[in-house]
Amino acid sequence: MKFSEQWLRELVDPALTTDELVEQLTMVGLEVDGYEPVAGKTTQVIVGEIQSVSKHPDADKLFVCTVSDGSGTHQVVCGAPNARSGIKVPFALVGAQLDDFKIKKAKLRGVESFGMLCSEREVGISDDHEGLMELPANAPTGTDIREYLKLDDVIVDLDLTPNRSDCLGMVGLARETALVNELDWSPVEPPEVAPVNDETFSVSLESGAGCPRFVGRVIRGIDTGQRSPLWMREKLRRSGVRSIDPVVDVTNYIMLEMGQPMHAYDLSRLTGGIVVRQSGGSEKLTLLDEQDIDVAPGTLLITDDSGPIGLAGIMGGLSTAVSASSVDIFLEAAFFDPATIAGRARAHGLNTDASHRFERGVDWQGQMAAMERATALLLDIVGGNPGPVVVTDLGDELPDLPIIHLRSPRVAKLLGVGIGDEEIEGMLDRLGLFHTRTDPADKAATWQVTSASHRFDLALEEDLIEEISRIYGYNNLPLRNPSSALVMPHITETALSAMDLKRRLVSRGYYEAITYSFVDPTSDALLDPVSEAVPLANPLSSEMGVMRTTLWPGLIKSLIYNVNRQQEQVRLFELGQCFRQPGNEPVTDLRQITQEMMLAGVVTGLRTSESWASKSQPIDFYDQKADVEALLSLSGLDEYQFKKADHSALHPGQSAEIRRQGELVGHLGMIHPRVREQLDIPSATFVFQCRVEALLNRTVPVAQDVSRFPAVRRDIAMLVPAVHGAGEITKRIQNVAGEALKNLKLFDVYQGKGIDPTRKSLGFGLTFQDLSRNLTDDEINQIVDEIVAALAKDFGAEQR
């Protein structure tokens, strides 16, 4: 937001330089992006009056003008097409300085010229040089142009945070400046304009809380041929708004001054009455900028009997716009609910000054004052006969003023400094907040504070304390090191933290990634077709349309980015929330959404860095399985089982599910070639994902005695049907062998020549040992026989 320093000083004039004022605004939370003078440097430029104009004798496009400076006349040669007798224009005398250009006596085509008549560009206030800058007829001839136009001014550019919509108008900025400087200020208090006729126009509100107040007024017989006064055009220009015509200029001026956007309709183009309602879909509208749009369903509309005539709070329609031929107008000043307007302009590819204010919140009690102020200005400029002000509102739908309880001890605790009760009450007064002390006799003061209609950001006690800290001065708050009693926390050996999981993956060569929770619906459905994603009502882009049900889409996108930039080894992991909605029903309550913390990783590329000492090989399924096993070993690897499982996003021959004591914990495997092609993944990629909650409960290792007696190893080879995994067979061997089996290793897997294609050979190494005695051959042979018999019975296995 841009504003003129002089305009601000008309309302409140602190004894500060421009630099000090800018610094003060920044320190109270109204960050200043920059500031610049409103005009270039000029000297000896005055208000001149052209007394006569004649053709140049030797040039068709030049004129010889006689110009008065108030005390004498000068001959000036000019080529401006609007040069004519009787107008007043900026006149640069001989010796005048226009930035780096000095005016000298000159001779143009044989005719002497003493000075120069100036356009807006020569004066330094704009780039317009189509003709001379015409000044009002009552401009005093001979007056310095900088003094007359008040060009010793500065344009300040504010970068306001969304919560400070009250400062999107000069009234709010003046209130804030007076607040921090403890000054009185001059609020805009427009006089009530009495109606001279009983003309009204009907308004109906059908959008409930979307538009609970609509103030309207008919003004007949205006003269749109008039021009906005110079002071108004200058204030608009210095605020970055172009002057268009008196009616539009007045509504823009009210928006800049009071923060209340307004709109004017050509009364003769309205049919029936105005109805404010929600769009039902399949409606079209031509906007003021002549852009044709399809109105999105649910958009708040201003309509009449002909259909939509404006996007509420955003932009009016072309069909009812005020034009040069307009005689009768209908003025509007409304309050629109910020939540209803938010995002609607962006959804239609628009960004207007009105939507910028409405979606942040305007003063819902300021419409009457804005209407009276606009009426008074219009009558002064274009004349007309006003009708009565008609207020249409839905009392029950208007916002409530929050009541906040503020405690003096809480202020001291949060700010670290004691502020006197009287000083706090003075701050609340200057903020315009009504307050009462709940118990005057209580030493610990407590106030009941009623928020103001122009402050949508004050609802909690902390909000008020933040206001107090701003006014007190952030730089005045004491700098103290926090002190606290250090108590050793009770940490159980069975508890793991998420940081433990991260450290283990980092030790395996992974880098942590942090991706968006919003992902592309297509990618999410490809990688997790089982879960129902939660769609976003107002997505940032089409590629961020749903909340992720799995961490894989974001990680894969980051992996592709790195691979495309010549990274040969990519190992990424992420710990974050995933979101799901129950069933296929749309979410009507946010509490229906379930979210769970997940840990996922992606790997691709070479197993080891390129080296002369070894041949580089690509990563395979077992490399990633080793990483996952290292992760699971933190909580007790023996409790986990890997089982072959089908997952639509993973290769059917290189994927597995992870279970802990029968409970599904996660999946790992290679991305399915079909999915890889659809997502444009350039190389073979392996992924895993686990539920964090299932990994954080650690099984504490128990120390055991070391046997003094020798261990005995026996090897067996079993032919088993290929459909059985080694994991379930290993589990069965352990159950049968009992405590005597101290170590079990799968050392060989073979399928091929000499073996039935439907079967495979598994070689196991079994190590037996007892703590108290030597095991005999007969005992070991009996255990091995029992193992072979159990495998034959349960799996149809045969010993080779």
Side-chain angles (χ1 to χ4, degrees):
M1 172 187 170
K2 295 182 178 180
F3 71 90
S4 158
E5 181 186 353
Q6 284 188 358
W7 192 359
L8 175 62
R9 291 186 183 274
E10 290 175 10
L11 302 176
V12 59
D13 191 8
L16 301 171
T17 64
T18 299
D19 289 339
E20 291 170 338
L21 177 62
V22 164
E23 175 69 15
Q24 186 183 77
L25 289 174
T26 298
M27 289 305 296
V28 297
L30 309 179
E31 183 180 353
V32 175
D33 269 353
Y35 59 96
E36 61 183 3
V38 300
K41 295 179 180 179
T42 59
T43 60
Q44 299 186 55
V45 181
I46 63 171
V47 176
E49 181 178 2
I50 301 178
Q51 294 185 333
S52 65
V53 178
S54 60
K55 284 281 189 179
H56 190 288
D58 294 323
D60 293 338
K61 294 184 179 181
L62 296 179
F63 304 96
V64 180
C65 305
T66 302
V67 183
S68 171
D69 64 4
S71 59
T73 59
H74 307 262
Q75 177 176 284
V76 180
V77 177
C78 173
N82 63 330
R84 62 188 186 278
S85 177
I87 65 171
K88 293 184 178 180
V89 296
F91 175 35
L93 300 169
V94 173
Q97 193 79 26
L98 304 179
D99 281 334
D100 297 330
F101 179 67
K102 189 172 184 179
I103 302 299
K104 300 179 181 178
K105 175 183 173 181
K107 183 177 285 188
L108 301 175
R109 293 288 185 94
V111 177
E112 290 186 316
S113 180
F114 301 88
M116 184 175 76
L117 303 180
C118 303
S119 67
E120 290 187 0
R121 186 168 72 174
E122 278 84 40
V123 176
I125 63 176
S126 78
D127 292 329
D128 184 9
H129 63 286
E130 295 296 323
L132 299 177
M133 179 182 179
E134 297 188 29
L135 301 174
N138 60 358
T141 305
T143 303
D144 188 285
I145 198 69
R146 295 193 71 87
E147 177 184 346
Y148 178 70
L149 293 178
K150 299 180 179 179
L151 295 182
D152 294 322
D153 189 11
V154 169
I155 298 173
V156 181
D157 190 2
L158 283 182
D159 185 13
L160 294 174
T161 51
N163 65 308
R164 293 312 306 271
S165 60
D166 59 301
C167 291
L168 287 170
M170 295 307 300
V171 168
L173 284 174
R175 184 192 296 115
E176 193 76 6
T177 305
L179 166 69
V180 294
N181 290 285
E182 300 185 33
L183 295 174
D184 294 329
W185 64 292
S186 304
V188 178
E189 296 178 348
E192 184 177 342
V193 179
V196 297
N197 59 55
D198 58 357
E199 289 280 349
T200 62
F201 195 78
S202 69
V203 175
S204 175
L205 305 180
E206 297 182 357
S207 61
C211 177
R213 174 168 287 164
F214 192 105
V215 177
R217 185 173 217 168
V218 172
I219 302 178
R220 288 192 176 274
I222 66 170
D223 179 8
T224 53
Q226 297 296 321
R227 193 178 185 193
S228 301
L230 180 62
W231 64 265
M232 181 178 287
R233 300 200 308 272
E234 269 298 287
K235 286 184 175 179
L236 292 175
R237 181 186 71 80
R238 297 178 194 187
S239 299
V241 177
R242 183 170 59 91
S243 174
I244 298 176
D245 62 56
V247 177
V248 175
D249 288 354
V250 166
T251 58
N252 283 335
Y253 180 82
I254 297 300
M255 178 183 67
L256 295 173
E257 181 182 61
M258 307 181 73
Q260 170 66 52
M262 298 185 66
H263 188 65
Y265 305 87
D266 187 325
L267 188 63
S268 65
R269 298 183 178 185
L270 292 174
T271 58
I274 280 182
V275 178
V276 184
R277 60 170 175 81
Q278 299 281 347
S279 169
S282 301
E283 295 187 271
K284 297 183 180 295
L285 174 64
T286 302
L287 299 172
L288 283 173
D289 60 1
E290 300 184 1
Q291 178 183 351
D292 294 323
I293 65 169
D294 295 317
V295 181
T299 302
L300 197 61
L301 290 176
I302 310 294
T303 68
D304 65 1
D305 288 356
S306 65
I309 58 173
L311 293 178
I314 301 173
M315 187 183 291
L318 185 64
S319 62
T320 57
V322 175
S323 65
S325 61
S326 298
V327 177
D328 306 321
I329 63 172
F330 178 66
L331 271 183
E332 164 211 313
F335 170 73
F336 300 110
D337 174 51
T340 303
I341 302 300
R344 292 300 175 182
R346 187 170 65 249
H348 293 92
L350 302 171
N351 181 21
T352 66
D353 290 330
S355 66
H356 185 76
R357 287 163 172 79
F358 277 123
E359 65 187 9
R360 286 160 174 77
V362 303
D363 185 352
W364 56 271
Q365 293 182 346
Q367 288 71 46
M368 277 294 296
M371 181 61 70
E372 296 290 3
R373 175 74 164 149
T375 303
L377 289 172
L378 282 172
L379 296 185
D380 287 343
I381 301 170
V382 298
N385 302 308
V389 176
V390 178
V391 179
T392 307
D393 64 28
L394 307 174
D396 294 340
E397 299 290 353
L398 289 169
D400 295 322
L401 293 177
I403 296 176
I404 309 166
H405 292 280
L406 177 65
R407 297 163 292 172
S408 179
R410 182 68 172 166
V411 175
K413 181 177 181 180
L414 289 186
L415 300 187
V417 62
I419 302 177
D421 296 346
E422 291 184 1
E423 188 175 356
I424 291 176
E425 290 178 354
M427 294 178 183
L428 296 176
D429 288 335
R430 300 200 303 278
L431 281 167
L433 306 177
F434 177 77
H435 58 90
T436 57
R437 190 161 175 172
T438 55
D439 187 358
D442 191 353
K443 291 183 179 180
T446 302
W447 297 272
Q448 183 172 286
V449 183
T450 303
S451 185
S453 59
H454 61 273
R455 292 299 299 269
F456 281 77
D457 59 327
L458 301 182
L460 304 173
E461 183 180 28
E462 286 75 11
D463 298 331
L464 292 180
I465 296 174
E466 182 182 5
E467 293 298 297
I468 292 171
S469 66
R470 287 194 314 110
I471 301 167
Y472 186 81
Y474 295 128
N475 52 339
N476 294 325
L477 296 174
L479 297 176
R480 297 174 182 165
N481 291 325
S483 61
S484 176
L486 297 179
V487 179
M488 293 297 290
H490 177 69
I491 301 176
T492 64
E493 289 189 81
T494 59
L496 283 173
S497 70
M499 187 58 67
D500 294 324
L501 304 179
K502 289 183 178 183
R503 290 194 186 101
R504 179 55 58 92
L505 288 173
V506 169
S507 71
R508 304 284 295 185
Y510 285 74
Y511 289 88
E512 183 176 11
I514 300 175
T515 65
Y516 287 107
S517 296
F518 311 141
V519 297
D520 176 34
T522 303
S523 300
D524 193 80
L526 275 174
L527 295 168
D528 187 12
V530 177
S531 302
E532 187 70 21
V534 181
L536 296 176
N538 186 27
L540 295 173
S541 69
S542 60
E543 294 183 353
M544 306 176 79
V546 298
M547 301 184 76
R548 65 190 180 192
T549 64
T550 171
L551 299 176
W552 289 343
L555 286 173
I556 288 175
K557 187 174 181 180
S558 298
L559 178 140
I560 294 172
Y561 182 91
N562 281 274
V563 171
N564 289 341
R565 284 155 182 80
Q566 291 83 47
Q567 296 301 307
E568 294 181 349
Q569 290 178 300
V570 181
R571 285 178 167 88
L572 300 174
F573 78 91
E574 180 174 12
L575 189 145
Q577 298 281 1
C578 291
F579 309 86
R580 297 178 181 86
Q581 62 177 341
N584 296 319
E585 297 297 325
V587 175
T588 57
D589 187 341
L590 291 179
R591 289 173 295 184
Q592 295 177 272
I593 299 174
T594 60
Q595 60 186 51
E596 186 173 18
M597 187 67 71
M598 306 293 284
L599 177 64
V602 294
V603 295
T604 191
L606 301 177
R607 177 177 297 150
T608 58
S609 298
E610 188 176 9
S611 170
W612 61 269
S614 61
K615 184 178 180 181
S616 297
Q617 293 180 326
I619 288 173
D620 62 21
F621 173 82
Y622 294 102
D623 291 314
Q624 192 195 44
K625 183 171 181 284
D627 293 337
V628 175
E629 287 179 335
L631 181 68
L632 301 181
S633 66
L634 288 171
S635 53
L637 183 59
D638 291 342
E639 296 189 3
Y640 294 92
Q641 300 85 42
F642 293 87
K643 294 187 62 178
K644 181 178 179 181
D646 291 332
H647 190 294
S648 60
L650 303 178
H651 192 292
Q654 299 189 52
S655 61
E657 64 181 19
I658 308 167
R659 292 186 175 272
R660 184 176 191 180
Q661 297 179 346
E663 178 187 4
L664 181 63
V665 171
H667 290 85
L668 77 156
M670 186 174 76
I671 294 293
H672 196 290
R674 171 183 49 81
V675 176
R676 176 182 155 192
E677 181 181 357
Q678 290 178 282
L679 295 180
D680 293 327
I681 303 174
S683 57
T685 298
F686 299 86
V687 297
F688 74 86
Q689 181 168 269
C690 298
R691 294 170 45 238
V692 172
E693 183 182 5
L695 304 182
L696 297 182
N697 186 23
R698 172 165 51 188
T699 300
V700 180
V702 178
Q704 294 181 346
D705 294 334
V706 178
S707 177
R708 296 183 295 109
F709 299 96
V712 178
R713 170 166 170 154
R714 296 290 177 85
D715 294 344
I716 61 173
M718 304 296 297
L719 286 174
V720 299
V723 295
H724 295 300
E728 55 184 328
I729 295 175
T730 300
K731 188 74 173 178
R732 184 64 178 129
I733 293 174
Q734 291 171 332
N735 291 337
V736 174
E739 295 181 359
L741 181 64
K742 297 303 181 184
N743 193 11
L744 173 63
K745 292 289 185 181
L746 173 67
F747 64 80
D748 181 57
V749 178
Y750 175 74
Q751 281 183 285
K753 185 177 180 181
I755 295 179
D756 185 342
T758 64
R759 301 172 79 82
K760 61 185 175 182
S761 173
L762 301 179
F764 295 97
L766 296 83
T767 302
F768 300 95
Q769 191 178 35
D770 192 274
L771 286 173
S772 60
R773 62 186 180 86
N774 283 321
L775 294 174
T776 66
D777 285 342
D778 291 339
E779 290 174 321
I780 294 173
N781 291 336
Q782 182 179 353
I783 296 174
V784 171
D785 291 343
E786 290 175 356
I787 291 172
V788 172
L791 296 182
K793 178 181 178 183
D794 294 344
F795 302 104
E798 300 176 10
Q799 187 173 10
R800 292 182 66 187

